[in-house]
C-alpha cells in the first residue's frame, strides 16, 4: 500500500500515449478569451483586474527595463496557479509535482536573468559575487560560496515547488485513507479525521496559490538584481 501512495505522481498514460501535454494545455482552455467589446462580462472583468493587480504589484520594485517581462510573469503565474488548483480535484494529475517540469521552467528563466545582467551591466552582476569590504584572505572563499549559491537558485526554485505540492498531496491521501479505514471501526474518530482532511484541503488550496506566487516572485527578485 505504501507504494500506491506515489502512483498519483506518475505521468498519466492512455493507450500507451503520454497525457502530459494534455495536462499542460488544459488550463488555457478553461480561461475565457478577451473580447473586442468596450464592455466585458463580470468574469472577464474580474480576470483582467486580478492579472493587472498582480502584475502591478510584482513589477513595482523593478525599473522600466524589467517591465518587458510583465507578460511572461503574468502568464507563468496564471499557468502555475491553474495547474496547482486543478491538481487538487479528484482523479486529476498535477504536472508541477514533477521535478523535471519545474526545473524546465526554473533553469531557462533563471539563466535568462543572469544573461541579461551579464550583457547589460557585467560589472554590477559580477559585483554580487564579492561583498564590499571583504577581507583579502576571504575573497577566494566568498567568491566560490557566492558562485555556488548563484547556481543553486534554479534548483531551489524547482525543488521548493515540487516538495510543497508533493508533501501536500501525500498528506491528503494519507489522511483520506485513514478516515476511510476508521469509518467502520471508529466512526467518531473517522469524523474527526474527515474534519481534519477538510481543513488540510483548505490549507492546500492556499499552498497551491502561494507557491505559484512565490515561484514568480523569486524570479522577479533575480531579475531585479540584473536590470
Amino acid at each position: 500500500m505504501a507504494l500506491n501512495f506515489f502512483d498519483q505522481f506518475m505521468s498519466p498514460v492512455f493507450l500507451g500515449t503520454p497525457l502530459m501535454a494534455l495536462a499542460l494545455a488544459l488550463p488555457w482552455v478553461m480561461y475565457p478569451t478577451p473580447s473586442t467589446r468596450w464592455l466585458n462580462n463580470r468574469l472577464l472583468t474580474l480576470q483582467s483586474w486580478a492579472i493587472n493587480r498582480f502584475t502591478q504589484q510584482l513589477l513595482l520594485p523593478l525599473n522600466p527595463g524589467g517591465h518587458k517581462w510583465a507578460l511572461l510573469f503574468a502568464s507563468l503565474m496564471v499557468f502555475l496557479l491553474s495547474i496547482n488548483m486543478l491538481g487538487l480535484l479528484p482523479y486529476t494529475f498535477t504536472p508541477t509535482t514533477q521535478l523535471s517540469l519545474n526545473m524546465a521552467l526554473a533553469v531557462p528563466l533563471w539563466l535568462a536573468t543572469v544573461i541579461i545582467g551579464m550583457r547589460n551591466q557585467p560589472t554590477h552582476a559580477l559585483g554580487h559575487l564579492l561583498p564590499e569590504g571583504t577581507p583579502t584572505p576571504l575573497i577566494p572563499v566568498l567568491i566560490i560560496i557566492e558562485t555556488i549559491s548563484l547556481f543553486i537558485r534554479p534548483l531551489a526554485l524547482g525543488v521548493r515547488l515540487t516538495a510543497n505540492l508533493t508533501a501536500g498531496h501525500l498528506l491528503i491521501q494519507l489522511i483520506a485513507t485513514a478516515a476511510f479505514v476508521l469509518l467502520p471501526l471508529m466512526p467518531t474518530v473517522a469524523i474527526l479525521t474527515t474534519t481534519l482532511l477538510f481543513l488540510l484541503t483548505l490549507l492546500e488550496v492556499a499552498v497551491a496559490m502561494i507557491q505559484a506566487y512565490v515561484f514568480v516572485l523569486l524570479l522577479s527578485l533575480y531579475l531585479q538584481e540584473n536590470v
Side-chain angles (χ1 to χ4, degrees), residues 12-77:
V13 177
F14 181 72
L15 297 178
T17 304
L19 300 180
M20 176 64 82
L22 179 61
L24 294 177
L26 183 61
W28 299 113
V29 182
M30 304 181 63
Y31 282 92
T33 304
S35 64
T36 56
R37 300 177 179 178
W38 284 94
L39 187 61
N40 293 324
N41 56 32
R42 291 183 178 87
L43 183 59
L44 281 174
T45 303
L46 180 62
Q47 174 182 303
S48 301
W49 175 83
I51 293 177
N52 290 336
R53 290 294 298 172
F54 163 74
T55 306
Q56 180 182 3
Q57 185 69 26
L58 191 66
L59 300 181
L60 190 61
L62 295 176
N63 58 26
H67 293 177
K68 301 175 183 178
W69 289 59
L71 180 60
L72 177 61
F73 282 159
S75 302
L76 182 61
M77 173 66 180

Side-chain angles (χ1 to χ4, degrees), residues 61-200:
L62 295 176
N63 58 26
H67 293 177
K68 301 175 183 178
W69 289 59
L71 180 60
L72 177 61
F73 282 159
S75 302
L76 182 61
M77 173 66 180
V78 172
F79 174 69
L80 291 177
L81 181 61
S82 302
I83 57 181
N84 288 352
M85 298 292 287
L86 288 176
L88 295 174
L89 298 176
Y91 302 104
T92 56
F93 171 70
T94 312
T96 44
T97 56
Q98 305 294 314
L99 183 60
S100 56
L101 173 65
N102 297 332
M103 293 302 296
L105 293 174
V107 173
L109 293 174
W110 162 83
L111 188 59
T113 61
V114 174
I115 292 176
I116 286 177
M118 292 296 183
R119 186 189 65 178
N120 295 340
Q121 41 185 7
T123 304
H124 181 72
L126 294 175
H128 289 293
L129 301 179
L130 185 62
E132 186 178 357
T134 303
T136 304
L138 295 180
I139 289 179
V141 179
L142 280 180
I143 291 179
I144 294 175
I145 293 175
E146 292 296 330
T147 304
I148 294 175
S149 66
L150 177 65
F151 283 96
I152 283 180
R153 285 180 174 181
L155 182 62
L157 276 177
V159 171
R160 178 187 292 107
L161 184 59
T162 304
N164 281 281
L165 295 179
T166 302
H169 283 64
L170 278 176
L171 194 56
I172 286 178
Q173 187 166 357
L174 284 170
I175 296 179
T177 304
F180 181 76
V181 172
L182 291 173
L183 185 59
L185 301 177
M186 293 179 287
T188 304
V189 179
I191 293 175
L192 294 177
T193 308
T194 306
T195 305
L196 178 62
L197 177 63
F198 175 74
L199 297 176
L200 180 62

